[in-house]
Amino acid sequence: MELDARRLADGSVIDADLCIIGAGPAGMTVAREFLELDTDVLLLESGGRDSEDWPQTLNLGAVSGDYAGLGVTRNRRLGGTTALWNSPVGRELGAKYAPLDPWDLAPPGKSPLTGWPLSPGTLLPLYRRAQVVCGLGPFGYEAADWVDPRRPPLSLSGDFLTTRVYQFGSRRPFATIYPGHLRESANVRVCLHATVCALTTDLGGTRVVEARIGTPNGRWHRVRAKTFVVACGTIENTRLLLASGVGNSQVGCCFMEHPRDYALTVIPERPELLEQCAFYDAHRAAGNSFVGGRLALTEHAVRVLGHPNASLTLLPRLRKGLAPEGLAERLAQRLKSVLSASPQEGYGWSRVPNPARFFDGFRVLTNLEQRPHPENRITLGPKRDALGMPRSRLQWRWRSEEQAELSQLRREVVSCIQSSGLGRVEIDSGRPVDPNAHHHSGTTRMAVDPRDGVVDADGRVHGVRNLFVAGASVFPTCGFANPTLTVVALALRLADHLKARG
């Protein structure tokens, strides 16, 4: 069933067993697990079915430090930020998926912060279920899982780099298919244009009793529920808890991103190497899955060297001054227009006959894990949005020690590539990192002890019996990987826990 908060009588009170705040992948996954069960579920979404201008104004906030603005990184609508996923390999395939590596579950190197209270063995069956929810193929992220004699992986020397893969998926499950299932459900109500501005607790602060909803047309409503799940994305999860005075002093700390580095360019020693790297392009694999090879740090590299994790994508570099005639010219111009939009849109290059005619090397896109630092955090600023909520303020910076680790990583990668006979590597050593992968995480981190985090291993806010948090904000560490697969896996675990609670 679908409701619109703008059309409810002002001051309406909505009762439910389970109230889920936010209809992105996390909230939608939790709601789907209750379809057709004897639980009255209310799923609240700040936006509408499609993207609208007014809800996006609520995303604006202040930034102090090296990070870009907060407005364009998120999208309030049914399906959440999936609507912003760009397509790397085709009209429908807009997301890259990868799980956390087992060694991602502890902070890299020496750190006073705790790691995940969950083991790799706990996450593995959840990842397998998340593959299905995300519309992906089998749970396989090693090169050996996608053997194709026509596209063999590179032979790499040493024990620093190895080949693994990304899987590519469509936005359709979260943007189209699952919203339809929820609208048709008898026990799930989806309420659009419903922005939760505050959570109200009992006198002891141990239980949330209601949520206050504002709408674009100035109407206000209340939701009363037995259990509340906050699933608004990392920034909004934090803002809502801070604005409501719920949670401990750790709320907002340890904001993490996946900075991207573009300082390395590989110039092949042999032109045919471009064709031999076809495994590292996005391509259709067995079972109609789409995968793309990547160069991954080995466990040895992470543990022995104390590096945060990282992943390297090979993207072709168009030859300068390329001016072929006729069909070739049109092809080159089309490729150039695609490649100029963003580095990830270079996928598809291996379908070009004789790619050495158009490309002279590979730009290396390095996706970096960022260490959790309490000083990188979200707080509330002095300005307020149209509904009266304090706007978010983000303090984020890339530290000198992180830059030193990146410089060491670059040197190790160059050594491995050149010793493997792949070519020489050009280094733009002065190039700064790009902080704008928009993979926000870490500000309501998961920990057994409330002194170390905001929620427990089940996602329950420490000290509050009926309030849970879903999404990447609960990550104690972030690895290098796009977070959606892990977000969905944890949402499934949360749903299992809530069903067991009754």
Side-chain angles (χ1 to χ4, degrees):
M1 180 187 301
E2 185 174 281
L3 306 174
D4 191 321
R6 298 173 302 180
R7 298 188 175 94
L8 300 178
D10 193 24
S12 293
V13 178
I14 310 172
D15 291 302
D17 295 325
L18 172 61
C19 175
I20 304 169
I21 304 167
M28 197 172 291
T29 297
V30 175
R32 286 186 67 250
E33 290 297 298
F34 285 87
L35 284 173
E36 311 311 325
L37 297 183
D38 189 23
T39 302
D40 181 13
V41 179
L42 178 66
L43 179 61
L44 301 175
E45 171 51 46
S46 179
R49 285 193 182 187
D50 301 305
S51 295
E52 302 169 4
D53 291 338
W54 188 88
Q56 313 319 319
T57 66
L58 305 177
N59 290 333
L60 300 176
V63 176
S64 175
D66 308 323
Y67 198 66
L70 301 180
V72 299
T73 64
R74 298 167 288 146
N75 195 33
R76 294 174 186 244
R77 57 160 286 175
L78 197 59
T81 306
T82 60
L84 299 180
W85 287 349
N86 293 322
S87 174
V89 290
R91 184 175 181 182
E92 289 297 330
L93 298 175
K96 289 195 301 187
Y97 288 92
L100 293 172
D101 289 323
W103 46 91
D104 288 334
L105 302 186
K110 296 180 180 179
S111 173
L113 298 171
T114 57
W116 289 67
L118 305 177
S119 69
T122 299
L123 288 176
L124 181 57
L126 297 169
Y127 275 136
R128 296 186 186 281
R129 290 169 60 189
Q131 290 280 126
V132 178
V133 174
C134 295
L136 303 172
F139 182 77
Y141 289 87
E142 301 291 338
D145 297 324
W146 305 97
V147 172
D148 184 345
R150 299 167 299 176
R151 296 174 179 262
L154 294 170
S155 177
L156 300 168
S157 66
D159 54 4
F160 190 82
L161 293 179
T162 188
T163 296
R164 295 194 175 95
V165 302
Y166 288 113
Q167 291 193 37
F168 296 96
S170 169
R171 70 189 71 178
R172 290 187 66 248
F174 299 110
T176 304
I177 298 173
Y178 299 151
H181 293 170
L182 295 172
R183 283 194 294 267
E184 295 168 1
S185 171
N187 72 305
V188 177
R189 288 171 289 172
V190 179
C191 187
L192 304 177
H193 302 108
T195 302
V196 176
C197 299
L199 301 171
T200 303
T201 62
D202 59 14
L203 291 179
T206 62
R207 182 176 176 274
V208 174
V209 295
E210 68 178 32
R212 187 167 183 256
I213 294 174
T215 68
N217 59 349
R219 297 182 181 182
W220 291 90
H221 313 296
R222 291 182 295 146
V223 173
R224 300 181 302 200
K226 298 176 182 176
T227 303
F228 291 84
V229 174
V230 179
C232 314
T234 291
I235 294 172
E236 295 305 315
N237 285 355
T238 307
R239 180 160 75 132
L240 180 56
L241 293 183
L242 290 173
S244 304
V246 176
N248 58 30
S249 61
Q250 300 292 318
V251 176
C253 294
C254 297
F255 178 91
M256 293 175 287
E257 252 287 7
H258 288 144
R260 299 176 293 188
D261 183 51
Y262 298 98
L264 304 182
T265 301
V266 180
I267 309 300
E269 291 185 348
R270 308 179 312 278
E272 60 269 21
L273 185 65
L274 284 156
E275 293 188 49
Q276 294 170 0
C277 287
F279 183 80
Y280 300 86
D281 190 10
H283 60 278
R284 191 185 300 272
N288 210 32
S289 297
F290 272 87
V291 302
R294 59 184 181 86
L295 299 179
L297 298 191
T298 63
E299 182 177 5
H300 168 83
V302 174
R303 293 199 185 282
V304 175
L305 298 178
H307 282 185
N309 209 348
S311 179
L312 290 74
T313 303
L314 300 178
L315 297 168
R317 186 176 74 172
L318 198 65
R319 288 186 179 277
K320 295 181 180 179
L322 183 65
E325 298 180 355
L327 177 61
E329 180 181 12
R330 293 194 297 272
L331 175 59
Q333 291 302 317
R334 183 172 64 86
L335 285 170
K336 187 174 182 179
S337 68
V338 170
L339 290 171
S340 64
S342 76
Q344 292 184 347
E345 292 181 359
Y347 285 120
W349 57 269
S350 65
R351 296 194 295 269
V352 178
N354 189 14
R357 295 171 57 200
F358 303 100
F359 309 112
D360 63 359
F362 290 105
R363 296 170 298 160
V364 179
L365 165 60
T366 305
N367 291 93
L368 302 164
E369 175 181 14
Q370 183 177 30
R371 296 176 183 273
H373 289 285
E375 297 84 358
N376 288 339
R377 64 182 301 158
I378 295 172
T379 58
L380 298 179
K383 295 183 178 180
R384 294 180 178 266
D385 65 20
L387 295 176
M389 279 192 76
R391 292 195 181 275
S392 299
R393 180 170 56 191
L394 171 63
Q395 169 65 45
W396 186 93
R397 69 184 178 91
W398 182 247
R399 298 166 174 272
S400 58
E401 59 267 30
E402 292 172 312
Q403 186 62 36
E405 288 177 334
L406 174 57
S407 296
Q408 183 183 10
L409 174 64
R410 289 169 176 172
R411 292 192 296 269
E412 296 288 349
V413 170
V414 169
S415 176
C416 180
I417 288 176
Q418 293 186 160
S419 64
S420 299
L422 304 181
R424 64 181 176 87
V425 183
E426 298 175 350
I427 308 177
D428 183 359
S429 58
R431 183 163 186 162
V433 296
D434 171 14
N436 297 303
H438 306 327
H439 296 166
H440 312 146
S441 63
T443 53
T444 64
R445 66 193 319 266
M446 182 186 295
V448 173
D449 192 320
R451 292 173 296 183
D452 299 321
V454 178
V455 304
D456 65 16
D458 295 317
R460 183 181 63 83
V461 174
H462 286 296
V464 187
R465 295 196 304 269
N466 67 335
L467 178 62
F468 296 80
V469 180
S473 66
V474 306
F475 290 11
T477 59
C478 65
F480 75 89
N482 298 49
T484 304
L485 189 67
T486 304
V487 165
V488 171
L490 292 180
L492 291 168
R493 186 174 189 273
L494 174 56
D496 291 344
H497 175 73
L498 295 178
K499 286 188 282 188
R501 277 168 52 105

